[in-house]
Amino acid sequence: MKFKTVREGSQALVLNHLGEGRILVGPQRVFLFRQSLQVLQNYTATPDQYLKIKWQDGRTEHRSGPVSMFLNPLEHERIEMLSGIKLNANQALIVYKTTAEKTGSIVERRIVYGPIVFIPTADEWLHEFKWHGADMKTNKTVMIPEFAKFTKLSIIPQHFYYNVREVRTCDDTQIVVKLMIFYELTDIEKMLELTHDPIADFINAVCADVVSFATKLSYEEFQQQASKLNSQNTYPQLMQRAKRIGYNISKVVYRATMQGITCSLCKMMPSRVELS
């Protein structure tokens, strides 16, 4: 037997010896006999946050801030305070939502553009992109599958470096062609429908274009005509594929060539020369 005080602005759960519970809202002083008192934890969300509430009956609810709520073990399984997703003017989110119909559930998709603080509802989820990307700390020209993982889609012009390797000229000289590719997303719907990794598509297409260009020339001719690699006309497959999946290739910059001579007399001792 004892007295307990519930302070103003607080709430508490009182359980008796039978397991029956009741909520006390402070300020209040209560006498406990064969009872226990548990002060409830309060969760508060600011205007750019929200509360994710999992109810005991299996429901999930999102409440946008500003909001405050006590975790009641009789009704709630858990409460989480989460931050909204902040988008600037050059970013977008792909949001999916399940809608119940007579014939079954239908998944709807919509695009949310910034600037905005986006707070999803309980039945919404975000598209997670997994694209080829470069580890800038090790080698910016090596593209690793699924290295770039993100939900915020950038809609401003971007670029990446790529080295087209194992390219052979018609006189069997092996070279590596170094490029920089500038691109911009112009149609999000096309991109979502027609590709799961546009960077991989760019890489495959530009490799095919460079190989097609080099196999028609000797190494000396390649050196003389290397400036053509700065022209978009040299990359028909890249341009066609980019347009098909909703992108625009604004520029391809030829950076350099690295040579590896693999003729029959010197196959065992390849040499590498940097060309400007």
Side-chain angles (χ1 to χ4, degrees), residues 11 25 41 66 70 90 121 146 152 173 188 207 210 217 221 225 251 261:
Q11 293 185 14
V25 179
Q41 183 175 353
F70 289 92
N90 301 314
T121 60
E146 297 189 358
K152 297 179 183 180
T173 302
I188 296 179
C207 286
V210 171
L217 307 171
E221 291 172 336
Q225 300 186 37
K251 184 167 55 175
I261 301 174

Side-chain angles (χ1 to χ4, degrees), residues 132-273:
H132 277 65
D135 186 351
M136 304 302 290
K137 296 180 180 179
T138 56
N139 190 334
K140 65 183 179 180
T141 65
V142 176
M143 306 303 288
I144 306 170
E146 297 189 358
F147 182 82
K149 298 180 180 181
F150 57 93
T151 56
K152 297 179 183 180
L153 184 64
S154 178
I155 53 178
I156 59 173
Q158 301 182 77
H159 72 276
F160 67 92
Y161 297 87
Y162 189 70
N163 293 349
V164 184
R165 302 179 182 277
E166 299 183 5
V167 179
R168 290 183 180 274
T169 58
C170 66
D171 56 357
D172 202 31
T173 302
Q174 183 173 310
I175 58 176
V176 177
V177 180
K178 300 182 177 183
L179 302 173
M180 186 189 306
I181 301 171
F182 293 80
Y183 62 96
E184 182 179 4
L185 177 59
T186 57
D187 192 325
I188 296 179
E189 291 289 351
K190 273 188 178 181
M191 184 271 292
L192 293 172
E193 294 291 341
L194 298 175
T195 183
H196 69 281
D197 187 346
I199 304 301
D201 291 356
F202 296 159
I203 291 172
N204 292 334
V206 79
C207 286
D209 286 327
V210 171
V211 169
S212 177
F213 175 79
T215 52
K216 302 174 185 178
L217 307 171
S218 67
Y219 178 65
E220 294 299 328
E221 291 172 336
F222 182 90
Q223 286 183 288
Q224 296 171 3
Q225 300 186 37
S227 60
K228 291 184 179 179
L229 291 171
N230 288 308
S231 172
Q232 295 185 11
N233 296 329
T234 307
Y235 306 96
Q237 296 185 66
L238 174 62
M239 298 300 163
Q240 180 180 1
R241 182 55 184 168
K243 183 178 180 180
R244 177 173 173 77
I245 62 176
Y247 278 83
N248 175 52
I249 302 296
S250 58
K251 184 167 55 175
V252 179
V253 176
Y254 167 65
R255 298 170 54 230
T257 300
M258 186 165 62
Q259 176 193 2
I261 301 174
T262 56
C263 65
S264 58
L265 296 177
C266 52
K267 188 176 295 184
M268 301 302 294
M269 298 180 64
S271 62
R272 295 184 178 275
V273 181

